[in-house]
Structures are given as C-alpha cells and as structure tokens.
Amino acid sequence: MQSGLSALSSIDEWLAWQEQCHVKNIDLGLERVASVYKALKPTHSRSIYTITVAGTNGKGSCVAMLEAIFIAAGYRVGVYSTPHLKHYNERVRINGTPVLDSSLASSFYKIDLARKETSLSYFEFGTLAAIDVFDHYKVDIQILEVGLGGRLDAVNIVDADAALITSISIDHIDWLGDDRNQIALEKAGVFRANQIAVCGDSTVPNSLIDYAKKLGTQLSLAGKDFDVNKNANDWSLVANHVFAGHYPMPVLQGYHQIKNAAAVVSLLANIQHIKPVSKNNIDIGLRHTSLKGRLQQVSSAPDIFLDVAHNAESAQVLSDFLKSKKTNGQIHAVFSVLVDKQLNEVLKPFIGLIDNWHIAPLQAPRALSVADLYKCLVDDNSQQCFKYSSIQQALKNAQLAAKQDDLVICFGSFYVVEACLEAL
C-alpha cells in the first residue's frame, strides 16, 4: 500500500506513517530492502567511498571521530548514524550538519514510489533515504553505522570499501542471542573479499577472525596489529604504520574512547593510499569530535552526566568512569531500560556504587515495567529506589535531592538520554 504522501509532506507525517506501515518494528533481512535499493539506484550513479561501522558499543563514537577527521581533511562527508536523540535529522548528516526536512521528504517520496508493493520498516526507509541523500549531494565519503547485528542489517546492502568493528559483547539477545561467538559472526557479516577492515576489540572471538580469513578480508586487530599506551596528558598508538605515535586525548571522555580512537586511526592508516588524511587532520578531529549522550556533562554543582550505556560492557565502562570521578558526595542514578536487556548484568557494576536510584517507565514499546525494575533494585537493601511517572520527573527529583558535591548519572537507554535532554 502506498503512503498517499508526497515530497511536500512533513517529516512528522512521513515518520508517523513509517512507524505503522510495516508489520514489525525490527525485521532483519536484506531481500526486501535490497530489491528497493536496486530499483532506486540509477545504473549510472557514481560509487561513493563507503565505510561501514559495526559492533556492540562504540559505534557512534567511532563514526563521530571518522566524521570529524575527514571534515578536517577537506572531504565532503555523509554520515548515517542511529538512533537520534532529539530530532530525526540527526541520523543523516553532511559535514556534521543534519540535512533539511525537504531533502529527507524528497527521498522518502522516491523510495515510496520505487518500492511499489514491497513493505519496508522504519529503519529500512531511513537507511535508503540516507544513501539517496548522499548520492544526491555527491559526498566524497559516506560512513554508515549498522543499527543491529551486521549481516542482516539494512546498511549491509552497500558493499563497503572499508569496515570498522568496535567492541563485541552481548546485547539485543532477542535478535542476536547470547552467544558471543555467534554475535561476532553476525558483525563480521559486513566484511567483503579484499576489503580493508579493522577490529578494535582485542578479545574478539575467533569466529570473526576465521570468517575474515575465509573471505579474504584485509583485517587488522587490536592487541595484535596495534595497541595503545595511556600517558598523563595524551596517549600513544603503538603500530607498524604511518600514524603510530602520540595523540591528544579525545574530547569524548573515558579510557574506552582511546581504544576507539586507536581503531579509527588504524583504519585511516590502512586506507591512506585511497583517502589520505594528515596527522594534523587526525589531531584536529579528535579534539573536535562531538557526540551527545556519551559521558556528556550537562551541568555542574552537582555534576550531571548523560550516557546511553545499556548493556553489560557499556555499564562496566560507565561504572569505571564514575569511580574515577572520586566524588565526595552521593551518586544518584536516573535509570530505565528495555525489556530485552540483561538487567542483572547491566546493574552488577553499580552495586555498592549508586546510592539513590530514580526510575521511571520509558516511552517505548519494548520498555521494561517499573514494577519489574523496582523489584530487581530493592533486592539490594543498600540502595534507595524511588519511582516516578516519567524520566523527566525522575531527573527533576534527582536534581532536587542532589547536593552540590553529589553526582547524577542518567543512563540505561537512548530513550533515557532523549527524555533528559528534553527536560533540561
């Protein structure tokens, strides 16, 4: 069924229709979206140099670093990254600026005509629109972030010239399962024969390495082909390539961001003969990378941080960061989570660390109920837990309860960060 909308329809109208036009919110598989991509893409269309970024945690950070460095080098850069936090247009950027509503509406209309009777999900519409916009504006490089998994994600309709795999851990268990070897193999699905690829996870399962060898992917591995040393005021990349050496600390906070930066720089070294950048471009890019919701400080006295941590690995990273702050006061958490997360594993790093929990329901179809969340939290009697009707109300009360030396961390989901940004 066609939408009945046009290129002049509003983005809100298009998104409202896309949210209800497909039978599933998440529908992994490439057959439908690939057929529409083929119908949409003119045979004479030029090929855009493509970098696909997949992984469990760190995808958004690596995409943002690559984007900033390539912009510093003078390239015209298109980025497709999900999800958004405040405005849908954040998903589709050209040289760091979200594209206009009119560009997205025009692409949505083209896609609607090209698909005929083929049903597409919300994410598939967005992926095709981003690719169409980048083609229209003739970007030099497009950086595509995988939404879920890799092999069957809509982004994988494009045969990328290079690929970057970030960390690999257990997440989205309803779709990817709870076996890390299998999850790694799903991520490796973005690899292609003779493609340049980097994996920033030094503990990557052999399933990914074996798949790359079988396919003939030119894979560089953290801990083997490159490594990092953290110094007092900077860090160094240990590698046998042109960009080995000292670098400024990334603007994005946390030791994990140094590891992300190392993977990004190593990928750039390996594609230097195709898309050259300078050491100075890298320094500038790392100093100017901007990304909401990643240990983002939004207030002080008390310090308030926003972080999208929502699985066991990212929760441990956040816990380590909170410990490094050595706050003199209490730590308040504004928290909620989706039902498909391993809640006990997400909460484990915070036992004995968080003093007061402020929980509320997420405005999302897969939200975990506050009752279930409360039950899990109050099992540990050392923690106080307060329930609210919304994340916005939870944040307001956490701010009122927090003293000047306290710290407030808002985490558990992109939906938590989105609601907190709206409330601030």
Side-chain angles (χ1 to χ4, degrees):
M1 180 183 296
Q2 299 303 122
S3 67
L5 300 173
S6 74
L8 298 178
S9 298
S10 71
I11 287 298
D12 288 341
E13 289 175 310
W14 273 110
L15 297 179
W17 177 76
Q18 289 171 25
E19 286 174 345
Q20 53 80 42
C21 72
H22 192 64
V23 292
K24 296 179 181 179
N25 290 326
I26 298 175
D27 193 3
L28 297 177
L30 299 182
E31 184 177 347
R32 291 173 298 99
V33 67
S35 68
V36 179
Y37 176 58
K38 184 178 180 181
L40 186 70
K41 189 174 177 65
T43 55
H44 63 272
S45 182
R46 70 191 186 94
S47 178
I48 300 172
Y49 191 85
T50 302
I51 299 173
T52 295
V53 180
T56 306
N57 297 304
K59 290 179 296 184
S61 299
C62 288
V63 166
M65 289 179 193
L66 284 167
E67 177 183 30
I69 293 166
F70 280 129
I71 290 173
Y75 292 103
R76 188 170 176 81
V77 186
V79 163
Y80 176 54
S81 183
T82 59
H84 62 279
L85 286 174
K86 295 189 74 173
H87 305 290
Y88 183 88
N89 307 51
E90 296 168 23
R91 295 176 176 230
V92 187
R93 306 189 295 270
I94 295 179
N95 277 15
T97 301
V99 299
L100 297 174
D101 285 5
S102 56
S103 295
L104 286 171
S106 177
S107 288
F108 286 149
Y109 180 59
K110 287 173 62 177
I111 295 162
D112 196 25
L113 293 178
R115 71 180 181 85
K116 297 181 180 178
E117 298 303 313
T118 301
S119 180
L120 296 173
S121 70
Y122 180 94
F123 182 78
E124 290 165 342
F125 255 100
T127 302
L128 289 170
I131 294 168
D132 181 64
V133 167
F134 299 152
D135 183 68
H136 176 77
Y137 284 100
K138 296 180 171 56
V139 300
D140 301 311
I141 299 168
Q142 60 183 5
I143 306 169
L144 308 179
E145 180 186 337
V146 168
L148 196 159
R151 181 176 63 92
L152 298 177
D153 187 87
V155 161
N156 207 29
I157 57 175
V158 180
D159 292 322
D161 300 279
L164 193 157
I165 307 291
T166 62
S167 69
I168 296 172
S169 58
I170 296 171
D171 196 6
H172 301 294
I173 55 176
D174 287 355
W175 292 275
L176 302 180
D178 59 2
D179 180 88
R180 193 163 174 261
N181 270 287
Q182 183 58 39
I183 291 171
L185 196 57
E186 287 295 314
K187 309 294 185 188
V190 302
F191 290 161
R192 300 292 191 272
N194 301 314
Q195 180 192 62
I196 294 170
V198 165
C199 179
D201 189 336
S202 59
T203 64
V204 60
N206 286 331
S207 57
L208 180 141
I209 299 171
D210 293 342
Y211 184 79
K213 287 179 180 177
K214 180 180 178 181
L215 198 59
T217 304
Q218 301 174 46
L219 178 63
S220 295
L221 294 168
K224 178 184 177 184
D225 299 299
F226 62 93
D227 213 333
V228 300
N229 285 327
K230 183 180 181 295
N231 309 309
N233 300 311
D234 63 5
W235 64 281
S236 56
L237 175 58
V238 182
N240 187 26
H241 59 57
V242 65
F243 289 141
H246 293 278
Y247 288 92
M249 290 295 187
V251 172
L252 303 179
Q253 299 191 60
Y255 178 65
H256 63 293
Q257 297 295 6
I258 296 176
K259 293 182 177 180
N260 288 334
V264 164
V265 175
S266 293
L267 180 69
L268 293 171
N270 291 342
I271 64 172
Q272 180 72 353
H273 60 293
I274 306 169
K275 294 295 178 184
V277 301
S278 70
K279 174 71 162 55
N280 188 52
N281 297 150
I282 296 172
D283 288 348
I284 292 171
L286 293 180
R287 286 193 180 102
H288 291 86
T289 300
S290 176
L291 190 62
K292 295 177 181 177
R294 275 68 168 185
L295 294 178
Q296 177 187 359
Q297 185 168 1
V298 293
S299 185
S300 57
D303 290 345
I304 300 178
F305 288 87
L306 309 180
D307 195 82
V308 296
H310 57 271
N311 54 42
E313 183 187 28
S314 57
Q316 184 61 59
V317 167
L318 176 56
S319 173
D320 292 342
F321 173 77
L322 294 178
K323 291 173 184 175
S324 74
K325 296 299 289 182
K326 295 182 172 64
T327 181
N328 293 321
Q330 293 189 327
I331 298 179
H332 300 257
V334 176
F335 178 75
S336 197
V337 72
L338 296 176
V339 71
D340 62 322
K341 305 302 176 183
Q342 292 182 303
L343 180 57
N344 288 330
E345 295 301 311
V346 172
L347 295 178
K348 188 183 298 182
F350 303 102
I351 295 174
L353 181 62
I354 302 296
D355 300 290
N356 303 287
W357 292 87
H358 303 262
I359 63 173
L362 294 176
Q363 298 303 308
R366 296 171 10 241
L368 183 69
S369 73
V370 172
D372 288 341
L373 185 54
Y374 183 82
K375 183 178 184 300
C376 188
L377 283 167
V378 296
D379 282 345
D380 183 344
N381 295 323
S382 66
Q383 305 173 114
Q384 291 198 77
C385 187
F386 306 93
K387 294 182 288 186
Y388 305 94
S389 59
S390 69
I391 293 294
Q392 291 89 341
Q393 191 64 39
L395 174 60
K396 181 180 179 180
N397 280 270
Q399 287 176 288
L400 290 172
K403 297 178 181 178
Q404 187 169 333
D405 290 337
D406 289 355
L407 185 150
V408 178
I409 178 67
C410 310
F411 77 105
S413 170
F414 278 85
Y415 293 107
V416 171
V417 173
E418 177 185 15
C420 290
L421 285 171
E422 289 176 357
L424 290 168

